[in-house]
Amino acid sequence: MLELNKSGTDRSEPGRLPAQGAGPDARPADGSPGTGTGAAAPERVPLRPYLIVAAILCGLYFLYSYLQYARFGSPSWDLGIFEQEVRAYADLRAPIVDIKGPGYLILGDHFSPIVALLAPLYWIWPSAESLLFAQAAFFALGAVIVGRTTQQLLGGRSGLCVTVAYGLSWGIQEAVKSDFHEIAFAVPLLALVCRALLLKRWTAAVLWSLPLVLVKEDLGATVAVVGFLLFVYGRRLQGALLAAFGVAAFVVTLVVLIPAASSAGTYDYWQKIDKNGEQDVSMLDSVLGVLNSAVKIEMLVFLIGITAFMALRSPLTLLIVPTLGWRLLSQDSNHWGMVWHYSAILMPVLFLAMADGVRRSRASDRPWLASYARVAVPVAVAIAVAMTQHLPLRDLLRPDTYSAVGDARSDAARAALKAIPVGARVETDITLMAHLTSDRTVYWIGGAPGTAPDIVAINLDFGWARPIQDPVAYAQQLHPEARYRLKHRGGSFVVMERTTPEPSEPPERP
């Protein structure tokens, strides 16, 4: 269980920290500048092995993402949404995301202005692939931070082992499969926050925490927990101020900033907690139902299990509580399980908590715990490798993963793309969406009434509630103010173009 005041590191061994009771200004015996913990100085931990492993992980992540993109296999509309947002920032415009609705200001949906930092990369590489590469790099950077910090704490080869375990963790792999999301920025930032806390670099912990409030609206609560940990560790003023800042950022973002940017004047995602479909759910029922699903329990077990349960020995584990809190309260089953990207930001926290837990347990008065601590890291690596057999990166070992890039379906999709003029306003489904957002205005199918887009392009095999028998009639049903004709058909892909003039009055922003 969590031990806030017990370090369990009273014995001095090579490559290990002395007790946390050592002052923040502690220095190595040779008088050189210390890390504030008595750990080996950072320069004594080699960087090259971690960069090599990180480069391999980055390559694997990007290769998977690229192949999924090239196979027209995006699992959701999110990659298209984020490309429209980054493209707007790159053009020095407000982040309008037409996929969410014509003229939709995305800051009224989720508050993630940090995504603007990708604009320079987009200037060089104006494609959704640039976002996929950036995410792969951020995840790999997290591996470097987690691994090197672990080696400073535990010594030996534990750092490289934990780098592999983190890099193959299910939370990271599922996030790679889910295409790009803003939480990619939070992964290395949280790794740096945890590193600073473990090495007693209190000011660094504060500074690395601050940008988290720009990643996503809920992370202000996580920043508040960092402040709480600082307070518990004895940095009372810094901790109190940071906790107050985190709470204030959380409240202001959800109550003021997002509603101000939203045409609805509210934060839409409250409904994820207080509504189950059309049925209202009280907060009490939401709280009582946090563990009412086997899917939720499975997720919790695997979150802690990937660290060989050693993360429970570290107070850092408290940092996962805010994210888990809203996920377990949500009525949306997509938030509960081990799929999608929601668990990625928990991975650096849990693996560094594991390193801290192992360090604390090595000097435990309980012989069984001290013995287990000596094998916990290899156990975590074995768990990560074993689980990979059922996780996304396993697909990289399957020949059909590569052959699908040039199969008949992909060729038909590429032919459909060629039939859509650059600069056109296109209404489409998920299949083609992220391939169009770099140089066309893209709307979600059925989500742009009154726009009469130039092109309606659909994949008949997308998984419609009812099969589309007559694509042209379907396009005119969506836009009765216009008429369309069939321009291209190949395989399951149909492209229709408008034959009537564009409406003079643009639709109002939803």
Side-chain angles (χ1 to χ4, degrees), residues 64-65 68-69 72-79 132 174-181 340 430-431 462:
Y64 182 94
S65 298
Q68 181 171 260
Y69 176 81
F72 296 85
S74 291
S76 75
W77 63 357
D78 290 343
L79 181 58
L132 298 174
E174 290 294 344
V176 170
K177 182 180 179 180
S178 301
D179 285 338
F180 177 85
H181 289 88
W340 299 110
I430 290 170
T431 315
F462 173 62

PDB file of all heavy atoms in Angstrom, residues 64-65 68-69 72-79 132 174-181 340 430-431 462:
ATOM      1  N   TYR A  64       3.746   1.279 -37.021  1.00  0.00           N
ATOM      2  CA  TYR A  64       2.382   0.787 -36.826  1.00  0.00           C
ATOM      3  C   TYR A  64       1.374   1.850 -37.244  1.00  0.00           C
ATOM      4  O   TYR A  64       0.412   1.558 -37.973  1.00  0.00           O
ATOM      5  CB  TYR A  64       2.160   0.394 -35.366  1.00  0.00           C
ATOM      6  CG  TYR A  64       0.772  -0.163 -35.124  1.00  0.00           C
ATOM      7  CD1 TYR A  64       0.547  -1.527 -35.155  1.00  0.00           C
ATOM      8  CD2 TYR A  64      -0.320   0.682 -34.914  1.00  0.00           C
ATOM      9  CE1 TYR A  64      -0.723  -2.055 -34.976  1.00  0.00           C
ATOM     10  CE2 TYR A  64      -1.599   0.171 -34.737  1.00  0.00           C
ATOM     11  CZ  TYR A  64      -1.793  -1.192 -34.763  1.00  0.00           C
ATOM     12  OH  TYR A  64      -3.058  -1.703 -34.595  1.00  0.00           O
ATOM     13  N   SER A  65       1.583   3.081 -36.777  1.00  0.00           N
ATOM     14  CA  SER A  65       0.648   4.168 -37.097  1.00  0.00           C
ATOM     15  C   SER A  65       0.591   4.422 -38.599  1.00  0.00           C
ATOM     16  O   SER A  65      -0.498   4.615 -39.172  1.00  0.00           O
ATOM     17  CB  SER A  65       1.064   5.452 -36.375  1.00  0.00           C
ATOM     18  OG  SER A  65       1.037   5.286 -34.982  1.00  0.00           O
ATOM     19  N   GLN A  68      -1.280   1.618 -40.427  1.00  0.00           N
ATOM     20  CA  GLN A  68      -2.712   1.741 -40.193  1.00  0.00           C
ATOM     21  C   GLN A  68      -3.300   2.870 -41.036  1.00  0.00           C
ATOM     22  O   GLN A  68      -4.378   2.734 -41.627  1.00  0.00           O
ATOM     23  CB  GLN A  68      -2.976   1.993 -38.711  1.00  0.00           C
ATOM     24  CG  GLN A  68      -4.449   2.121 -38.368  1.00  0.00           C
ATOM     25  CD  GLN A  68      -4.694   2.140 -36.863  1.00  0.00           C
ATOM     26  OE1 GLN A  68      -5.068   1.144 -36.281  1.00  0.00           O
ATOM     27  NE2 GLN A  68      -4.468   3.293 -36.225  1.00  0.00           N
ATOM     28  N   TYR A  69      -2.572   3.977 -41.098  1.00  0.00           N
ATOM     29  CA  TYR A  69      -3.008   5.117 -41.915  1.00  0.00           C
ATOM     30  C   TYR A  69      -3.013   4.749 -43.392  1.00  0.00           C
ATOM     31  O   TYR A  69      -3.975   5.047 -44.124  1.00  0.00           O
ATOM     32  CB  TYR A  69      -2.062   6.283 -41.649  1.00  0.00           C
ATOM     33  CG  TYR A  69      -2.292   7.516 -42.478  1.00  0.00           C
ATOM     34  CD1 TYR A  69      -3.287   8.430 -42.134  1.00  0.00           C
ATOM     35  CD2 TYR A  69      -1.494   7.780 -43.589  1.00  0.00           C
ATOM     36  CE1 TYR A  69      -3.486   9.581 -42.887  1.00  0.00           C
ATOM     37  CE2 TYR A  69      -1.683   8.931 -44.346  1.00  0.00           C
ATOM     38  CZ  TYR A  69      -2.672   9.827 -43.991  1.00  0.00           C
ATOM     39  OH  TYR A  69      -2.873  10.963 -44.735  1.00  0.00           O
ATOM     40  N   PHE A  72      -5.898   2.831 -44.608  1.00  0.00           N
ATOM     41  CA  PHE A  72      -7.176   3.512 -44.408  1.00  0.00           C
ATOM     42  C   PHE A  72      -7.942   2.850 -43.252  1.00  0.00           C
ATOM     43  O   PHE A  72      -9.128   2.562 -43.342  1.00  0.00           O
ATOM     44  CB  PHE A  72      -8.016   3.493 -45.687  1.00  0.00           C
ATOM     45  CG  PHE A  72      -7.388   4.255 -46.817  1.00  0.00           C
ATOM     46  CD1 PHE A  72      -6.448   3.657 -47.644  1.00  0.00           C
ATOM     47  CD2 PHE A  72      -7.720   5.588 -47.037  1.00  0.00           C
ATOM     48  CE1 PHE A  72      -5.848   4.361 -48.674  1.00  0.00           C
ATOM     49  CE2 PHE A  72      -7.120   6.299 -48.067  1.00  0.00           C
ATOM     50  CZ  PHE A  72      -6.182   5.692 -48.887  1.00  0.00           C
ATOM     51  N   GLY A  73      -7.198   2.635 -42.162  1.00  0.00           N
ATOM     52  CA  GLY A  73      -7.764   1.925 -41.026  1.00  0.00           C
ATOM     53  C   GLY A  73      -7.916   2.763 -39.777  1.00  0.00           C
ATOM     54  O   GLY A  73      -7.933   2.203 -38.676  1.00  0.00           O
ATOM     55  N   SER A  74      -8.002   4.093 -39.913  1.00  0.00           N
ATOM     56  CA  SER A  74      -8.161   4.943 -38.727  1.00  0.00           C
ATOM     57  C   SER A  74      -9.386   4.499 -37.929  1.00  0.00           C
ATOM     58  O   SER A  74     -10.469   4.329 -38.493  1.00  0.00           O
ATOM     59  CB  SER A  74      -8.318   6.414 -39.129  1.00  0.00           C
ATOM     60  OG  SER A  74      -7.109   6.918 -39.655  1.00  0.00           O
ATOM     61  N   PRO A  75      -9.229   4.312 -36.606  1.00  0.00           N
ATOM     62  CA  PRO A  75     -10.341   3.803 -35.808  1.00  0.00           C
ATOM     63  C   PRO A  75     -11.373   4.857 -35.431  1.00  0.00           C
ATOM     64  O   PRO A  75     -12.444   4.507 -34.929  1.00  0.00           O
ATOM     65  CB  PRO A  75      -9.641   3.263 -34.555  1.00  0.00           C
ATOM     66  CG  PRO A  75      -8.418   4.118 -34.421  1.00  0.00           C
ATOM     67  CD  PRO A  75      -7.985   4.420 -35.821  1.00  0.00           C
ATOM     68  N   SER A  76     -11.069   6.126 -35.623  1.00  0.00           N
ATOM     69  CA  SER A  76     -12.018   7.180 -35.245  1.00  0.00           C
ATOM     70  C   SER A  76     -11.746   8.424 -36.078  1.00  0.00           C
ATOM     71  O   SER A  76     -10.824   8.455 -36.897  1.00  0.00           O
ATOM     72  CB  SER A  76     -11.886   7.513 -33.752  1.00  0.00           C
ATOM     73  OG  SER A  76     -10.711   8.276 -33.505  1.00  0.00           O
ATOM     74  N   TRP A  77     -12.533   9.463 -35.827  1.00  0.00           N
ATOM     75  CA  TRP A  77     -12.357  10.714 -36.556  1.00  0.00           C
ATOM     76  C   TRP A  77     -11.301  11.625 -35.923  1.00  0.00           C
ATOM     77  O   TRP A  77     -11.030  12.713 -36.422  1.00  0.00           O
ATOM     78  CB  TRP A  77     -13.688  11.446 -36.673  1.00  0.00           C
ATOM     79  CG  TRP A  77     -14.329  11.889 -35.354  1.00  0.00           C
ATOM     80  CD1 TRP A  77     -13.881  11.662 -34.088  1.00  0.00           C
ATOM     81  CD2 TRP A  77     -15.524  12.653 -35.213  1.00  0.00           C
ATOM     82  NE1 TRP A  77     -14.728  12.237 -33.155  1.00  0.00           N
ATOM     83  CE2 TRP A  77     -15.753  12.845 -33.831  1.00  0.00           C
ATOM     84  CE3 TRP A  77     -16.437  13.193 -36.120  1.00  0.00           C
ATOM     85  CZ2 TRP A  77     -16.846  13.557 -33.326  1.00  0.00           C
ATOM     86  CZ3 TRP A  77     -17.526  13.896 -35.616  1.00  0.00           C
ATOM     87  CH2 TRP A  77     -17.730  14.072 -34.244  1.00  0.00           C
ATOM     88  N   ASP A  78     -10.678  11.185 -34.838  1.00  0.00           N
ATOM     89  CA  ASP A  78      -9.807  12.070 -34.067  1.00  0.00           C
ATOM     90  C   ASP A  78      -8.581  12.548 -34.839  1.00  0.00           C
ATOM     91  O   ASP A  78      -8.158  13.695 -34.689  1.00  0.00           O
ATOM     92  CB  ASP A  78      -9.369  11.387 -32.768  1.00  0.00           C
ATOM     93  CG  ASP A  78     -10.518  11.233 -31.778  1.00  0.00           C
ATOM     94  OD1 ASP A  78     -11.542  11.919 -31.957  1.00  0.00           O
ATOM     95  OD2 ASP A  78     -10.390  10.433 -30.835  1.00  0.00           O
ATOM     96  N   LEU A  79      -7.980  11.678 -35.635  1.00  0.00           N
ATOM     97  CA  LEU A  79      -6.792  12.107 -36.384  1.00  0.00           C
ATOM     98  C   LEU A  79      -7.149  13.243 -37.331  1.00  0.00           C
ATOM     99  O   LEU A  79      -6.409  14.226 -37.446  1.00  0.00           O
ATOM    100  CB  LEU A  79      -6.202  10.923 -37.161  1.00  0.00           C
ATOM    101  CG  LEU A  79      -4.934  11.233 -37.966  1.00  0.00           C
ATOM    102  CD1 LEU A  79      -3.822  11.764 -37.072  1.00  0.00           C
ATOM    103  CD2 LEU A  79      -4.464   9.979 -38.717  1.00  0.00           C
ATOM    104  N   LEU A 132       1.291  11.713 -36.339  1.00  0.00           N
ATOM    105  CA  LEU A 132       1.580  10.359 -35.894  1.00  0.00           C
ATOM    106  C   LEU A 132       3.045  10.217 -35.502  1.00  0.00           C
ATOM    107  O   LEU A 132       3.378   9.553 -34.508  1.00  0.00           O
ATOM    108  CB  LEU A 132       1.228   9.357 -36.994  1.00  0.00           C
ATOM    109  CG  LEU A 132      -0.249   9.314 -37.404  1.00  0.00           C
ATOM    110  CD1 LEU A 132      -0.436   8.378 -38.596  1.00  0.00           C
ATOM    111  CD2 LEU A 132      -1.124   8.878 -36.239  1.00  0.00           C
ATOM    112  N   GLU A 174      -1.987   0.791 -26.975  1.00  0.00           N
ATOM    113  CA  GLU A 174      -3.356   1.104 -27.363  1.00  0.00           C
ATOM    114  C   GLU A 174      -3.483   2.563 -27.810  1.00  0.00           C
ATOM    115  O   GLU A 174      -4.289   2.884 -28.688  1.00  0.00           O
ATOM    116  CB  GLU A 174      -4.313   0.822 -26.210  1.00  0.00           C
ATOM    117  CG  GLU A 174      -4.496  -0.658 -25.896  1.00  0.00           C
ATOM    118  CD  GLU A 174      -5.180  -1.425 -27.014  1.00  0.00           C
ATOM    119  OE1 GLU A 174      -5.777  -0.788 -27.903  1.00  0.00           O
ATOM    120  OE2 GLU A 174      -5.107  -2.666 -27.006  1.00  0.00           O
ATOM    121  N   ALA A 175      -2.688   3.447 -27.214  1.00  0.00           N
ATOM    122  CA  ALA A 175      -2.706   4.847 -27.651  1.00  0.00           C
ATOM    123  C   ALA A 175      -2.146   4.985 -29.057  1.00  0.00           C
ATOM    124  O   ALA A 175      -2.643   5.779 -29.865  1.00  0.00           O
ATOM    125  CB  ALA A 175      -1.903   5.705 -26.678  1.00  0.00           C
ATOM    126  N   VAL A 176      -1.119   4.216 -29.382  1.00  0.00           N
ATOM    127  CA  VAL A 176      -0.575   4.219 -30.742  1.00  0.00           C
ATOM    128  C   VAL A 176      -1.639   3.752 -31.731  1.00  0.00           C
ATOM    129  O   VAL A 176      -1.819   4.341 -32.803  1.00  0.00           O
ATOM    130  CB  VAL A 176       0.674   3.317 -30.814  1.00  0.00           C
ATOM    131  CG1 VAL A 176       1.110   3.112 -32.266  1.00  0.00           C
ATOM    132  CG2 VAL A 176       1.821   3.930 -30.009  1.00  0.00           C
ATOM    133  N   LYS A 177      -2.367   2.726 -31.364  1.00  0.00           N
ATOM    134  CA  LYS A 177      -3.423   2.209 -32.236  1.00  0.00           C
ATOM    135  C   LYS A 177      -4.544   3.226 -32.438  1.00  0.00           C
ATOM    136  O   LYS A 177      -5.212   3.224 -33.484  1.00  0.00           O
ATOM    137  CB  LYS A 177      -3.996   0.926 -31.636  1.00  0.00           C
ATOM    138  CG  LYS A 177      -5.064   0.273 -32.492  1.00  0.00           C
ATOM    139  CD  LYS A 177      -5.592  -0.999 -31.844  1.00  0.00           C
ATOM    140  CE  LYS A 177      -6.674  -1.642 -32.700  1.00  0.00           C
ATOM    141  NZ  LYS A 177      -7.189  -2.893 -32.080  1.00  0.00           N
ATOM    142  N   SER A 178      -4.740   4.103 -31.480  1.00  0.00           N
ATOM    143  CA  SER A 178      -5.855   5.054 -31.527  1.00  0.00           C
ATOM    144  C   SER A 178      -5.541   6.313 -32.320  1.00  0.00           C
ATOM    145  O   SER A 178      -6.299   7.283 -32.248  1.00  0.00           O
ATOM    146  CB  SER A 178      -6.255   5.440 -30.097  1.00  0.00           C
ATOM    147  OG  SER A 178      -6.636   4.300 -29.358  1.00  0.00           O
ATOM    148  N   ASP A 179      -4.436   6.334 -33.058  1.00  0.00           N
ATOM    149  CA  ASP A 179      -4.005   7.521 -33.800  1.00  0.00           C
ATOM    150  C   ASP A 179      -3.601   8.631 -32.830  1.00  0.00           C
ATOM    151  O   ASP A 179      -3.444   8.404 -31.635  1.00  0.00           O
ATOM    152  CB  ASP A 179      -5.092   7.999 -34.765  1.00  0.00           C
ATOM    153  CG  ASP A 179      -5.209   7.112 -36.005  1.00  0.00           C
ATOM    154  OD1 ASP A 179      -4.236   6.424 -36.331  1.00  0.00           O
ATOM    155  OD2 ASP A 179      -6.285   7.118 -36.640  1.00  0.00           O
ATOM    156  N   PHE A 180      -3.453   9.834 -33.336  1.00  0.00           N
ATOM    157  CA  PHE A 180      -2.922  10.931 -32.522  1.00  0.00           C
ATOM    158  C   PHE A 180      -3.970  11.484 -31.561  1.00  0.00           C
ATOM    159  O   PHE A 180      -5.146  11.614 -31.895  1.00  0.00           O
ATOM    160  CB  PHE A 180      -2.430  12.059 -33.427  1.00  0.00           C
ATOM    161  CG  PHE A 180      -1.929  13.256 -32.668  1.00  0.00           C
ATOM    162  CD1 PHE A 180      -0.628  13.306 -32.219  1.00  0.00           C
ATOM    163  CD2 PHE A 180      -2.781  14.315 -32.368  1.00  0.00           C
ATOM    164  CE1 PHE A 180      -0.167  14.404 -31.501  1.00  0.00           C
ATOM    165  CE2 PHE A 180      -2.336  15.410 -31.654  1.00  0.00           C
ATOM    166  CZ  PHE A 180      -1.019  15.448 -31.216  1.00  0.00           C
ATOM    167  N   HIS A 181      -3.495  11.835 -30.343  1.00  0.00           N
ATOM    168  CA  HIS A 181      -4.308  12.576 -29.378  1.00  0.00           C
ATOM    169  C   HIS A 181      -3.418  13.545 -28.614  1.00  0.00           C
ATOM    170  O   HIS A 181      -2.201  13.353 -28.514  1.00  0.00           O
ATOM    171  CB  HIS A 181      -5.019  11.641 -28.399  1.00  0.00           C
ATOM    172  CG  HIS A 181      -6.132  10.862 -29.039  1.00  0.00           C
ATOM    173  ND1 HIS A 181      -5.919   9.651 -29.653  1.00  0.00           N
ATOM    174  CD2 HIS A 181      -7.461  11.135 -29.179  1.00  0.00           C
ATOM    175  CE1 HIS A 181      -7.066   9.205 -30.144  1.00  0.00           C
ATOM    176  NE2 HIS A 181      -8.019  10.086 -29.875  1.00  0.00           N
ATOM    177  N   TRP A 340      -8.303   2.292 -26.524  1.00  0.00           N
ATOM    178  CA  TRP A 340      -8.198   3.725 -26.741  1.00  0.00           C
ATOM    179  C   TRP A 340      -6.967   4.297 -26.044  1.00  0.00           C
ATOM    180  O   TRP A 340      -6.090   3.562 -25.620  1.00  0.00           O
ATOM    181  CB  TRP A 340      -9.486   4.465 -26.356  1.00  0.00           C
ATOM    182  CG  TRP A 340     -10.667   4.019 -27.156  1.00  0.00           C
ATOM    183  CD1 TRP A 340     -11.732   3.291 -26.704  1.00  0.00           C
ATOM    184  CD2 TRP A 340     -10.894   4.205 -28.565  1.00  0.00           C
ATOM    185  NE1 TRP A 340     -12.609   3.025 -27.738  1.00  0.00           N
ATOM    186  CE2 TRP A 340     -12.126   3.574 -28.887  1.00  0.00           C
ATOM    187  CE3 TRP A 340     -10.187   4.859 -29.578  1.00  0.00           C
ATOM    188  CZ2 TRP A 340     -12.646   3.575 -30.173  1.00  0.00           C
ATOM    189  CZ3 TRP A 340     -10.710   4.858 -30.859  1.00  0.00           C
ATOM    190  CH2 TRP A 340     -11.925   4.226 -31.149  1.00  0.00           C
ATOM    191  N   ILE A 430     -15.161   8.257 -41.689  1.00  0.00           N
ATOM    192  CA  ILE A 430     -13.832   8.132 -41.077  1.00  0.00           C
ATOM    193  C   ILE A 430     -12.800   7.585 -42.051  1.00  0.00           C
ATOM    194  O   ILE A 430     -11.621   7.962 -41.995  1.00  0.00           O
ATOM    195  CB  ILE A 430     -13.927   7.225 -39.831  1.00  0.00           C
ATOM    196  CG1 ILE A 430     -14.688   7.941 -38.716  1.00  0.00           C
ATOM    197  CG2 ILE A 430     -12.541   6.798 -39.342  1.00  0.00           C
ATOM    198  CD1 ILE A 430     -15.037   7.049 -37.541  1.00  0.00           C
ATOM    199  N   THR A 431     -13.200   6.722 -42.976  1.00  0.00           N
ATOM    200  CA  THR A 431     -12.237   5.998 -43.802  1.00  0.00           C
ATOM    201  C   THR A 431     -11.298   6.924 -44.563  1.00  0.00           C
ATOM    202  O   THR A 431     -10.077   6.743 -44.557  1.00  0.00           O
ATOM    203  CB  THR A 431     -12.979   5.085 -44.802  1.00  0.00           C
ATOM    204  OG1 THR A 431     -14.026   4.383 -44.135  1.00  0.00           O
ATOM    205  CG2 THR A 431     -12.008   4.098 -45.423  1.00  0.00           C
ATOM    206  N   PHE A 462     -18.520   1.071 -44.605  1.00  0.00           N
ATOM    207  CA  PHE A 462     -18.095   1.729 -43.359  1.00  0.00           C
ATOM    208  C   PHE A 462     -18.754   1.125 -42.119  1.00  0.00           C
ATOM    209  O   PHE A 462     -18.202   1.140 -41.035  1.00  0.00           O
ATOM    210  CB  PHE A 462     -18.406   3.231 -43.448  1.00  0.00           C
ATOM    211  CG  PHE A 462     -18.172   3.981 -42.179  1.00  0.00           C
ATOM    212  CD1 PHE A 462     -16.913   4.048 -41.620  1.00  0.00           C
ATOM    213  CD2 PHE A 462     -19.216   4.619 -41.525  1.00  0.00           C
ATOM    214  CE1 PHE A 462     -16.684   4.744 -40.436  1.00  0.00           C
ATOM    215  CE2 PHE A 462     -19.012   5.317 -40.351  1.00  0.00           C
ATOM    216  CZ  PHE A 462     -17.739   5.381 -39.804  1.00  0.00           C
TER     217      PHE A 462
END
